[in-house]
Amino acid sequence: MTARQLRVAAVEPLTPLVTRFRFECPEGGSLPLFSGGAHVVVEMPDDGVLRRNAYSLISDPMDGSGYDIAVRREDAGRGGSRFMHTRVAVGDLLRIGAPVNLFALDLTARKHVLIAGGIGITPFVSQLKQLQRLQLPFELHYAARSRAEAAGLRLLPDLPQVHLHLSGEGKRIDPAVILQGQPLGTHVYTCGPQALIDRVAEVAAQKGWPRAALHAEAFLAPPTGAPFTVTLARSGLKIEVSPHQSLLEAIEAAGVDAPWLCRGGACGQCETEVIACHGRIDHHDHWLSDSDHAANTKIMPCVSRFQGAELILDR
Amino acid sequence: MPRTEFTPSITTRPVYPGLSPVPGAAALMLADASGAEALIELALQDAALIAAAHVIYIPEGAPFGAALAALHPKHYHEGPSFSAILPRFRKALLDAHMGTRLYLAGSETLIGLAMAEALAAGLPVDAIQSDHRGSIARRMQCVHCKGITEGVTTDPFTCSHCGLTLFVRDHYSRRLAAFQGVCVDAETPGIVPELQEIKP
Ligand code: FES
């Protein structure tokens, strides 16, 4: 991963739980441009543990003067967002990876319908800038609990195509209404809680939408869980994965080089062969097929965990 | 008329796996004489699908019109040729929304022309199903003069526009709904391979 040291140029609370961070080149100069929906991986040296979390870029894809991200504080998470909220200040240097896009717009679409739930608004902020620049037809539906919690309100343009669904004000988002009567060639993109993504997929299937017109990004942070032990056969190591560490982080902490890209169970890059599994793998990824999940012969260490007597990986 | 079984070819050569009912917002169906039975078979699998469908039929003298009308589609229309039904087909696509499924049955040329119209209207390719029945005559584009020769059944054939002798390729253009014909004797003028019937 090509990562470079960037300086924190701004820290701005958007809501009580969501904060915007801006990174710029310490020497001045321009950063690589990206496309709407791209993310970066932020490296966080947290008391001897190196965490790497992926965050969607919310700045203008065509503006290389800096990268903006919005981080929601998850106190029950593994600690990455807490680190960002409590330990990062303007002027700090952090290593940031080059932008990667696993949630790009399909530019063959005639119209783009974007559906966001909660902090899932973030990838759409840059997509919206791209859509406006290309003058493509779109509509955005943003579901949040309340105005006070809706960080996106500070990030979205004031346009008639932007629709707000606040459940606290009795306006619950209804994918069946959104998908109704969309013109031929419309693509729909969903980012947010899994339940919202599943609901959109279900409604779309009922209405006869082909799968290829649906895109989704679950903002999948590696789940926490009970500690477990893993044997890395090729490296000849037996390692412990702590409750607040992902398997991938534990592999890295042991000094073993392992491939990764999204760190969120979506890209397939970290796929690892399982040599022996006596117990149950808790698969959390969106990459492997259901039959792969059932067979327990492969694992995605960025998000998946294990319970049982023994797990041996080809790593 | 049974479904045509084609021999495996290059990936650009279209395949026609047949029709199976998909629940959806709306269904648009188009068949010619050789494809009518495919729609009747589809109705046997899912009567509700046909009942809600817009069916367009090009009889070409075949007797299936009464049987199709008897399935009681929501809209039923017959026309003598593809160009005759084209305004209605275009209007149906214009009025269609995401979730509409298109079912095509009959000759390769009908399927190809209808599919090109539908794709141009924005219908996703995954929303289109097709069942090839009947003639395997090809609609060929001469890659040299760009003229289209309809109903080609031999390889090589003579371009009806520029007169070159063309080799029949499996290379297909979805946009043009035509296979590509390439001059067969460019390097050895006049030396032309023996004429063969095109096979499926
Ligand atoms: S790093 Fe992308 S799936 Fe694990």
Side-chain angles (χ1 to χ4, degrees):
Chain A
M1 259 306 95
T2 50
R4 59 198 285 185
Q5 199 123 63
L6 298 183
R7 192 175 52 82
V8 178
V11 178
E12 177 202 10
L14 298 172
T15 69
L17 283 181
V18 181
T19 298
R20 177 180 74 92
F21 296 86
R22 178 172 176 81
F23 303 99
E24 290 175 359
C25 256
E27 318 76 50
S30 180
L31 296 167
L33 304 181
F34 53 98
S35 51
H39 69 264
V40 290
V41 169
V42 179
E43 297 186 5
M44 308 168 205
D46 188 5
D47 290 333
V49 185
L50 181 64
R51 298 184 196 288
R52 289 190 177 103
N53 279 15
Y55 295 105
S56 297
L57 290 165
I58 58 166
S59 40
D60 187 338
M62 295 301 275
D63 176 5
S65 67
Y67 291 155
D68 286 21
I69 60 171
V71 181
R72 183 180 201 273
R73 180 171 173 153
E74 309 280 356
D75 282 325
R78 291 161 314 122
S81 67
R82 205 166 40 240
F83 175 90
M84 291 299 293
H85 276 254
T86 58
R87 304 274 297 278
V88 175
V90 171
D92 287 359
L93 293 173
L94 283 179
R95 281 175 63 78
I96 314 284
V100 170
N101 201 345
L102 296 171
F103 194 49
L105 294 166
D106 183 332
L107 294 177
T108 64
R110 298 289 177 97
K111 178 180 175 185
H112 304 264
V113 172
L114 319 176
I115 302 177
I119 194 65
I121 189 66
T122 52
F124 294 134
V125 177
S126 62
Q127 285 190 350
L128 224 59
K129 294 185 208 279
Q130 184 179 355
L131 287 167
Q132 284 179 267
R133 177 167 280 116
L134 297 174
Q135 303 195 349
L136 296 173
F138 70 89
E139 59 189 73
L140 171 84
H141 296 269
Y142 174 30
R145 251 187 297 266
S146 68
R147 237 162 250 281
E149 281 178 53
L153 290 180
R154 303 273 303 276
L155 304 170
L156 295 171
D158 182 15
L159 288 173
Q161 297 99 315
V162 173
H163 305 273
L164 193 58
H165 305 259
L166 294 171
S167 59
E169 295 181 11
K171 264 189 75 189
R172 202 162 264 292
I173 193 159
D174 185 353
V177 173
I178 296 172
L179 297 193
Q180 184 62 39
Q182 291 291 353
L184 290 187
T186 302
H187 279 229
V188 59
Y189 307 76
T190 313
C191 182
Q194 193 60 44
L196 179 65
I197 293 172
D198 292 346
R199 179 78 188 120
V200 171
E202 186 191 329
V203 168
Q206 280 164 7
K207 290 184 183 291
W209 287 51
R211 281 278 322 142
L214 306 181
H215 311 269
E217 183 168 80
F219 49 95
L220 199 58
T224 57
F228 57 98
T229 308
V230 182
T231 304
L232 306 179
R234 245 188 293 157
S235 323
L237 289 173
K238 201 169 181 151
I239 61 168
E240 294 292 325
V241 183
S242 72
H244 291 278
Q245 202 178 26
S246 71
L247 171 54
L248 177 62
E249 285 167 340
I251 293 172
E252 290 169 337
V256 174
D257 205 18
W260 56 270
L261 185 63
C262 69
R263 302 182 84 88
C267 73
Q269 197 68 26
C270 68
E271 183 178 309
T272 304
E273 209 80 35
V274 173
I275 296 172
C277 171
H278 302 290
R280 202 185 79 219
I281 298 178
D282 295 324
H283 293 285
H284 294 294
D285 61 278
H286 296 289
W287 174 258
L288 298 173
S289 64
D290 288 348
S291 56
D292 277 343
H293 282 165
N296 276 349
T297 53
K298 291 172 190 166
I299 186 170
M300 310 307 285
C302 62
V303 286
S304 298
R305 304 185 73 86
F306 174 72
Q307 302 177 39
E310 185 175 48
L311 178 67
I312 307 179
L313 302 183
D314 182 23
R315 177 64 66 208
Chain B
M1 200 168 285
R3 174 171 314 143
T4 312
E5 296 293 343
F6 289 96
T7 45
S9 176
I10 56 174
T11 46
T12 58
R13 205 246 179 274
V15 289
Y16 310 94
L19 308 181
S20 56
V22 181
L28 184 55
M29 302 181 184
L30 173 60
D32 61 16
S34 55
E37 284 162 306
L39 295 190
I40 294 168
E41 288 160 25
L42 187 67
L44 290 178
Q45 289 181 62
D46 189 344
L49 184 79
I50 294 267
H54 184 165
V55 174
I56 303 175
Y57 176 49
I58 305 166
E60 301 166 315
F64 300 110
L68 283 170
L71 301 171
H72 299 296
K74 189 160 165 227
H75 303 287
Y76 179 72
H77 177 79
E78 278 183 20
S81 64
F82 183 74
S83 44
I85 62 93
L86 189 54
R88 170 176 280 257
F89 184 55
R90 281 192 177 147
K91 175 76 169 87
L93 288 168
L94 201 66
D95 294 343
H97 294 128
M98 276 302 276
T100 300
R101 297 277 175 160
L102 175 62
Y103 300 83
L104 302 171
S107 72
E108 191 151 36
T109 298
L110 175 85
I111 293 173
L113 288 173
M115 190 180 274
E117 283 290 334
L119 293 175
L123 192 73
V125 69
D126 311 341
I128 306 171
Q129 293 186 45
S130 55
D131 193 334
H132 183 278
R133 305 203 177 193
S135 164
I136 56 157
R138 293 190 182 191
R139 187 175 139 87
M140 297 295 306
Q141 189 204 36
C142 171
V143 305
H144 309 282
C145 79
K146 309 297 174 195
I148 300 271
T149 305
E150 301 278 358
V152 172
T153 56
T154 63
D155 178 21
F157 72 102
T158 306
C159 174
S160 59
H161 299 255
C162 68
L164 283 177
T165 307
L166 302 178
F167 160 58
V168 173
R169 294 200 58 207
D170 277 352
H171 183 180
Y172 184 80
S173 161
R174 245 178 359 197
R175 182 176 60 87
L176 301 169
F179 289 93
Q180 308 290 287
V182 181
C183 182
V184 79
D185 58 346
E187 274 150 40
T188 52
I191 304 181
V192 168
E194 202 185 321
L195 207 73
Q196 293 181 26
E197 280 285 310
I198 289 176
K199 293 190 191 65

